[in-house]
Amino acid sequence: MPPDLLKTVFLPLALISIMFGMGMSLTLADFKRVVLSPRATILGLCCQLVGLPLLAFALIRLFRLPDDLAVGLMILAACPGGPTSNIITHLSRGDTALSVTLTAVSSVITVFTIPLLVGFSIRHFLDAEEAIVLPFLKTVGQLVVVTLIPIALGMWVNQARPGFSRRMASTVNVVSLLFLALVILAAVLREKDLGQQFLLAGPAALALNLGSMGLGFGAAALFRLTRPQGISLSIESGIQNGTLALGIALGLLESSRIAMPAVVYSLLMFASGALVILWFGRRRVSPAA
């Protein structure tokens, strides 16, 4: 696949379709739950916005990742949860409303935090000769176009045509997964030393996935949230928007090596998500547990 076609067509389509599909599952009530359930929401946002970047930074040191892969892992940690986390939470008998709320709110907040964290990562890990300039306002504008606007349009469709929104949900999800598969395949084929990159990025990506899940569950237990809320925090912390991370690495930074952690992570998160569903999905959990 020509690099320009990947950057200008498939990446934007993948992101826009995923965000539009997520918007079709949201209502204004999802944002109002921040007020109705502040403790669980604030704790979940702290895990995502503060805990994940700190965990990623520690894993970079632990696994001694090369500089470009370190930036890629930090990009993953900076991204919000995606619609996949809502589905996994529902099948795992978690608090789906909390999961949707965290996804919605974090998707708005990270539009402004991603440029700051990614900019810091580039300056910290890459040499001056390798550094890539990531203008704050331009990056925010691009993220608004591929995230907030499609989400808002999806919410409008859901509000105006709820029946149509329900019927189209599965189709949009399938299309989104196809675009994601094309993006991952293209990123993989562009990397010459693919096996080496997977060996380097794989353990850190898996550790971020599982470690962030443990972070969410541990924080929920520490603050005595219910079991369904703990499941939601664990999944929202551990299942990040890999497509957005790919979009930043390939579309904004134009680096397939920086994209490698997101490629590996996007594959691993489905396996870990399936295990969570198998573990919790068969258990009957009382909402007050």
Side-chain angles (χ1 to χ4, degrees):
M1 181 185 298
D4 288 343
L5 189 63
L6 172 69
K7 177 184 174 182
T8 60
V9 178
F10 286 101
L11 266 174
L13 283 176
L15 282 169
I16 290 170
S17 61
I18 286 174
M19 294 301 175
F20 179 75
M22 185 170 73
M24 287 200 301
S25 68
L26 299 175
T27 66
L28 290 176
D30 296 320
F31 293 89
K32 294 178 182 177
R33 290 194 190 98
V34 178
V35 178
L36 299 176
S37 182
R39 187 172 65 155
T41 303
I42 292 172
L43 184 59
L45 290 174
C46 286
C47 287
Q48 286 186 297
L49 302 177
V50 180
L52 258 69
L54 291 176
L55 176 61
F57 195 87
L59 291 173
I60 288 167
R61 296 304 186 195
L62 177 65
F63 288 97
R64 299 181 180 179
L65 287 184
D67 293 340
D68 44 7
L69 297 184
V71 173
L73 198 71
M74 291 300 293
I75 290 173
L76 267 173
C79 288
T84 304
S85 64
N86 305 148
I87 298 171
I88 294 174
T89 298
H90 175 71
L91 296 176
S92 302
R93 300 182 184 272
D95 187 334
T96 306
L98 175 60
S99 174
V100 170
T101 299
L102 288 171
T103 298
V105 176
S106 64
S107 295
V108 174
I109 295 176
T110 51
V111 166
F112 304 98
T113 59
I114 284 173
L116 296 174
L117 186 57
V118 175
F120 162 79
S121 302
I122 290 171
R123 291 190 301 271
H124 183 80
F125 292 110
L126 297 182
D127 296 332
E129 296 178 356
E130 299 175 301
I132 307 164
V133 177
L134 194 68
F136 178 79
L137 291 179
K138 181 180 178 181
T139 305
V140 168
Q142 290 174 317
L143 290 173
V144 167
V145 170
V146 297
T147 59
L148 294 190
I149 291 177
I151 288 173
L153 288 174
M155 291 178 65
W156 177 79
V157 171
N158 191 26
Q159 176 70 25
R161 302 283 299 277
F164 173 80
S165 182
R166 286 192 296 271
R167 291 193 301 272
M168 288 298 295
S170 59
T171 301
V172 172
N173 287 336
V174 170
V175 171
S176 301
L177 287 174
L178 288 175
F179 280 132
L180 175 59
L182 283 173
V183 170
I184 292 175
L185 180 62
V188 166
L189 293 177
R190 288 174 63 182
E191 193 60 40
K192 294 179 181 178
D193 53 342
L194 181 61
Q196 181 67 16
Q197 295 304 313
F198 265 77
L199 287 175
L200 288 172
L206 179 60
L208 180 66
N209 178 221
L210 299 180
S212 53
M213 281 187 169
L215 173 68
F217 221 117
L222 181 64
F223 285 86
R224 298 184 179 181
L225 299 185
T226 66
R227 175 62 68 86
Q229 288 175 328
I231 293 172
S232 296
L233 259 63
S234 175
I235 295 170
E236 280 297 313
S237 299
I239 305 295
Q240 301 306 102
N241 193 330
T243 313
L244 181 56
L246 285 168
I248 295 169
L250 295 174
L252 296 179
L253 304 182
E254 300 184 1
S255 171
S256 58
R257 286 177 62 86
I258 290 178
M260 273 300 110
V263 170
V264 178
Y265 185 94
S266 296
L267 299 173
L268 293 174
M269 71 178 187
F270 289 107
S272 62
L275 291 175
V276 171
I277 292 170
L278 288 173
W279 180 257
F280 291 109
R282 294 180 299 178
R283 298 184 173 190
R284 294 191 173 274
V285 181
S286 168

